[in-house]
Amino acid sequence: MTSDRDRGTFITFEGGEGAGKTTQIRLLADRLRAGGHDVVTTREPGGATGADSIRALLVSGATDKWDPLSECLLLFAARREHLVKTIWPAMEQGAIVLCDRFADSTLAYQGYGHNVPIPFIEGLYASVVGDFEPDLTLILDLEVSVGLGRAISRNTSAASNEDRFEKMDPAFHERLRAGFLEIARNSGGRCVVIDADREPDTIAADIWDRVSERLSDAGAAA
Ligand code: TMP
């Protein structure tokens, strides 16, 4: 069944800590806008007023501040606000929405990382999001030690307190990296794994090829 939301394109960026998603989203948005596309950039958790308030609860403080299941429920509450207030309206206007993290992060972090049962997360997804899903997901893959090193130095220099997840133990980060790769294998082609241990411009060129391919399949010339 088609809906007005199908006028837009929903592209999500995923990966562990320090994978370079923010830089790549900026480069892709600039290139798409230069080509005349209407682009909306957003992120999770966040992207709408209520969702930003929930983000503040989740991303700072002690690693054990939330029970994993509570954490999952908060993420889906934030996601619902984000969809209803930001993503779906932009899609209905025909925009290309570039989103820094979406539900694959919940599967990877809360599911593979914290052992929340995957069927529970899939059930929440069906109730909260329905049959809407990304047109394309770019998973930026990187060695855990390299990514965590980048994330820690970035947060130290920006004096950010958004470090709750990166403080979790390395085994947690290894589980979620393996989780993202498994999600990609099971995604039926929706997800593409991008080697994020390269120069930003090389990664951007790789991403551009994947995105322009999808846009031309969908009839929207890049
Ligand atoms: P960010 O650092 O990429 O902005 O994301 C904030 C943190 O939130 C990041 O450490 C991963 C975490 N997160 C989850 O654990 N589950 C989720 O579903 C999402 C969207 C983010």
Side-chain angles (χ1 to χ4, degrees):
M1 201 175 72
T2 59
S3 80
D4 282 352
R5 281 178 212 151
D6 297 328
R7 295 184 59 212
T9 306
F10 186 40
I11 300 176
T12 58
F13 284 70
E14 298 282 7
E17 306 297 315
K21 294 180 282 89
T22 311
T23 304
Q24 292 304 324
I25 288 172
R26 183 175 45 76
L27 293 171
L28 178 60
D30 288 350
R31 193 158 177 185
L32 287 167
R33 284 186 182 120
H37 290 283
D38 178 14
V39 179
V40 171
T41 60
T42 187
R43 68 170 179 184
E44 287 208 349
T49 308
D52 283 329
S53 305
I54 296 174
R55 177 186 177 93
L57 298 174
L58 284 167
V59 296
S60 63
T63 52
D64 61 356
K65 173 176 171 185
W66 294 106
D67 163 74
L69 228 141
S70 313
E71 192 170 280
C72 218
L73 295 170
L74 285 168
L75 283 157
F76 270 99
R79 183 158 299 135
R80 178 77 194 176
E81 284 299 299
H82 189 206
L83 285 165
V84 171
K85 308 274 171 65
T86 305
I87 297 175
W88 286 339
M91 299 283 290
E92 283 158 16
Q93 296 300 313
I96 298 177
V97 179
L98 305 182
C99 188
D100 188 340
R101 300 194 182 281
F102 191 62
D104 295 314
S105 276
T106 317
L107 281 175
Y109 278 76
Q110 283 65 46
Y112 291 89
H114 279 323
N115 299 316
V116 173
I118 301 291
F120 175 80
I121 299 174
E122 289 173 341
L124 278 176
Y125 189 100
S127 303
V128 170
V129 187
D131 60 8
F132 177 77
E133 64 169 12
D135 296 292
L136 173 66
T137 297
L138 299 150
I139 297 180
L140 273 58
D141 179 60
L142 187 64
E143 289 278 336
V144 166
S145 56
V146 178
L148 279 179
R150 283 187 195 170
I152 289 163
S153 65
R154 176 191 61 204
N155 279 348
T156 309
S157 58
S160 165
N161 66 349
E162 291 201 347
D163 61 355
R164 183 168 159 259
F165 286 95
E166 69 197 39
K167 285 186 304 199
M168 292 183 185
D169 66 275
F172 170 85
H173 293 280
E174 292 291 354
R175 283 198 299 281
L176 72 88
R177 182 186 185 202
F180 274 127
L181 297 176
E182 193 165 309
I183 290 166
R185 280 195 297 276
N186 296 334
S187 72
R190 172 178 63 84
C191 299
V192 173
V193 177
I194 303 284
D195 173 3
D197 197 6
R198 295 178 292 168
E199 288 301 313
D201 286 348
T202 311
I203 301 170
D206 195 357
I207 288 176
W208 179 253
D209 287 345
R210 309 309 182 117
V211 169
S212 30
E213 200 178 290
R214 271 327 142 98
L215 290 178
S216 59
D217 286 352

